[in-house]
Amino acid sequence: MMKDVPGARMVEAGAADWPALATAARNLVAERGLRGLSLRAVAGASGWTMGEIGYRVGKKEQLIALLLEAERAASDAADHRWIDRLSSVPSFSGATLAAVVSGYLDDTAINRREAAIFWEELLLEAGIDPSLHALVTPWIEERERFWRQLLINRHPKAEALARVIMKYVVGEQLYSVVLGADPSYRLMRDMGIRRLCGGILADAQAMESDLFDHLIDMLAPTEPIANFTKSSAWPVAQTTAALMRDRGLSAVTHRSVAAALGVSPSAVAHHFRTHMDLVRAGNEALYEGFRENLDLDGVRRRLLPDPKEHGGAIGHQNAAVGLSRATHMIALAGARDPAFAPLVARRRKDRGQSTSLWGAALFAHPERYDRCAAQVTSMVLGGDLFLAMARGIASTGRLSAVMNDFVELAS
């Protein structure tokens, strides 16, 4: 697999110590991100010298390409173990498939934690750096094939279900890494997965909605949020949000925000004393911008008359892209630093707020489209947008396509 990758000569030579280099590089990406990866740090963590890496691998770009191929091969092997594990199952009921999806998420979050973080980091960077599209797309296609292979001839709506599960897993995986030890999160997540695999809408006879709402509240208690949109702190929050959106969370410091504003770092610290305060403010500014720019009437016009004949793109797409990136960055930060976990929990709690305003009208039984259904819809739509950005695919029309899958599964 690696012979076509730039820098693969050292693998062709059968370097026995390649696993040490790959493991060190992957762990550094999981800890610092792709932007924090350096050949010097890899050398120090792997036992290789800088000279060996330069001669046998090449530059950082070649190392990333080789690492991606190694992780892709490991991912494919792990997915095939799931195929083998379930080979005796002739067909999937909704309950059985939900257990499989939950188990798959737990397997990646617990047993392959660094690999899961690497995958999500790679998707984020590919959405920002077009040079990664060609490297990432084949891996995405392999994971899409895995879910189709798992479901084909085992479920009457295998194609639509495989598509939404793939997108849901992309959206949910980092939350499982960060929040997986929290029973409230696990119960809430697994209720959502059962809905995903069982037709999205609530069972009219089962009173689940109250329990789901209770679990959401336990996951992240409501906090009073300072409204600083009209205060002198608002430009600082907006500038922080722009840095997060365009350059990543690692770019956010008091000094970088001050430089962008043309003020002193102490002026930024006057409004937001700690780095966490600054990140939280930037995240709130991104959400505020998304709420202001989200054209719900436009969404309804595109989706409700006939989803197949309309584009389905949310107005002001940049707001959705910025929000998607920022949400992902916060989740990655939580995977690396437990201090971010409460912010991750709050962002997970907020999922579905916009979809709850228009999603119900798409279904024959809108009264059964509750908060759980709205959250599942949001997670799938978020995963879809993130995959589209990673592949460099235009998002126009994708909203309608995803909702068509949901309508098919609910029918």
Side-chain angles (χ1 to χ4, degrees):
M1 179 181 293
M2 297 185 188
K3 63 182 179 181
D4 297 324
V5 179
R9 59 185 179 272
M10 50 78 62
V11 177
E12 291 175 347
D17 47 354
W18 159 246
L21 185 72
T23 298
R26 183 195 63 190
N27 291 345
L28 284 168
V29 170
E31 178 184 347
R32 305 178 184 180
L34 280 174
R35 299 186 188 198
L37 184 69
S38 70
L39 297 185
R40 186 172 301 280
V42 173
S46 67
W48 286 49
T49 67
M50 288 285 290
E52 286 177 319
I53 295 176
Y55 175 72
R56 298 167 68 184
V57 178
K59 298 181 179 179
K60 178 179 175 179
E61 291 76 12
Q62 281 75 42
L63 176 61
I64 290 174
L66 279 169
L67 180 59
L68 188 151
E69 287 300 308
E71 290 299 301
R72 179 179 160 191
S75 169
D76 186 59
D79 285 349
H80 274 84
R81 286 194 293 273
W82 275 97
I83 294 289
D84 294 341
R85 186 176 289 123
L86 300 167
S87 60
S88 63
V89 180
S91 63
F92 285 114
S93 66
T96 301
L97 183 57
V100 170
V101 176
S102 295
Y104 185 90
L105 280 169
D106 290 340
D107 181 33
T108 56
I110 298 170
N111 299 323
R112 303 190 68 242
R113 185 178 185 277
E114 288 76 18
I117 296 172
F118 178 87
W119 160 252
E120 299 284 348
E121 170 75 19
L122 185 66
L123 292 180
L124 173 66
E125 287 299 324
I128 299 171
D129 181 358
S131 69
L132 292 173
H133 291 165
L135 291 173
V136 172
T137 296
W139 193 355
I140 294 174
E141 291 172 348
E142 283 181 0
R143 292 201 147 176
E144 290 172 340
R145 283 194 295 271
F146 159 70
W147 289 108
R148 286 199 301 271
Q149 183 181 353
L150 189 68
L151 291 172
I152 204 72
N153 298 323
R154 292 175 169 181
H155 194 281
K157 298 177 181 178
E159 291 288 345
L161 199 50
R163 286 191 293 268
V164 298
I165 289 175
M166 166 67 177
K167 295 162 186 173
Y168 176 86
V169 167
V170 168
E172 191 73 82
Q173 185 166 259
L174 274 177
Y175 291 110
S176 292
V177 170
V178 179
L179 305 173
D182 185 330
S184 295
Y185 165 76
R186 289 284 295 275
L187 286 168
M188 179 205 72
R189 183 200 71 179
D190 291 352
M191 287 180 69
I193 292 172
R194 286 196 295 274
R195 288 290 191 84
L196 180 72
C197 299
I200 194 67
L201 298 178
D203 185 340
Q205 306 302 317
M207 304 300 290
E208 293 183 332
S209 297
D210 289 345
L211 173 59
F212 190 84
D213 288 346
H214 178 63
L215 292 172
I216 285 286
D217 290 339
M218 290 189 69
L219 174 65
T222 301
E223 303 174 3
I225 302 170
N227 186 349
F228 45 80
T229 57
K230 296 182 180 180
S231 73
S232 58
W234 184 236
V236 179
Q238 287 183 307
T239 301
T240 304
L243 283 171
M244 290 171 62
R245 181 192 64 222
D246 298 334
R247 294 171 51 193
L249 195 62
S250 61
V252 174
T253 65
H254 284 79
R255 188 175 297 280
S256 65
V257 173
L261 283 168
V263 300
S264 68
S266 61
V268 174
H270 171 74
H271 296 292
F272 305 108
R273 186 175 62 83
T274 69
H275 180 253
M276 180 65 75
D277 293 337
L278 194 59
V279 169
R280 186 180 289 110
N283 200 240
E284 291 302 324
L286 278 164
Y287 266 76
E288 184 64 28
F290 177 75
R291 285 189 289 266
E292 288 180 353
N293 291 315
L294 180 60
D295 181 7
L296 289 174
D297 289 335
V299 172
R300 292 189 184 95
R301 286 195 301 272
R302 290 179 174 93
L303 288 173
L304 300 187
D306 185 351
K308 296 180 181 178
E309 294 182 3
H310 296 269
I314 294 177
H316 304 279
Q317 190 65 27
N318 285 341
V321 168
L323 181 68
S324 177
R325 285 178 181 164
T327 301
H328 213 75
M329 290 171 190
I330 292 296
L332 278 167
R336 293 166 179 147
D337 183 352
F340 283 87
L343 188 55
V344 176
R346 183 171 163 209
R347 290 286 75 104
R348 182 61 182 85
K349 173 183 178 177
D350 290 342
R351 298 303 290 260
Q353 289 187 352
S354 63
T355 50
S356 65
L357 300 176
W358 53 263
L362 294 172
F363 297 93
H365 299 282
E367 73 281 359
R368 292 166 55 193
Y369 188 83
D370 60 0
R371 192 176 184 184
C372 181
Q375 278 221 345
V376 171
T377 303
S378 174
M379 298 302 294
V380 173
L381 289 172
D384 179 72
L385 176 59
F386 213 68
L387 288 169
M389 291 191 296
R391 298 171 73 171
I393 298 174
S395 56
T396 302
R398 299 190 66 84
L399 180 59
S400 289
V402 173
M403 296 312 297
N404 281 342
D405 282 339
F406 275 128
V407 171
E408 178 184 345
L409 295 172
S411 63

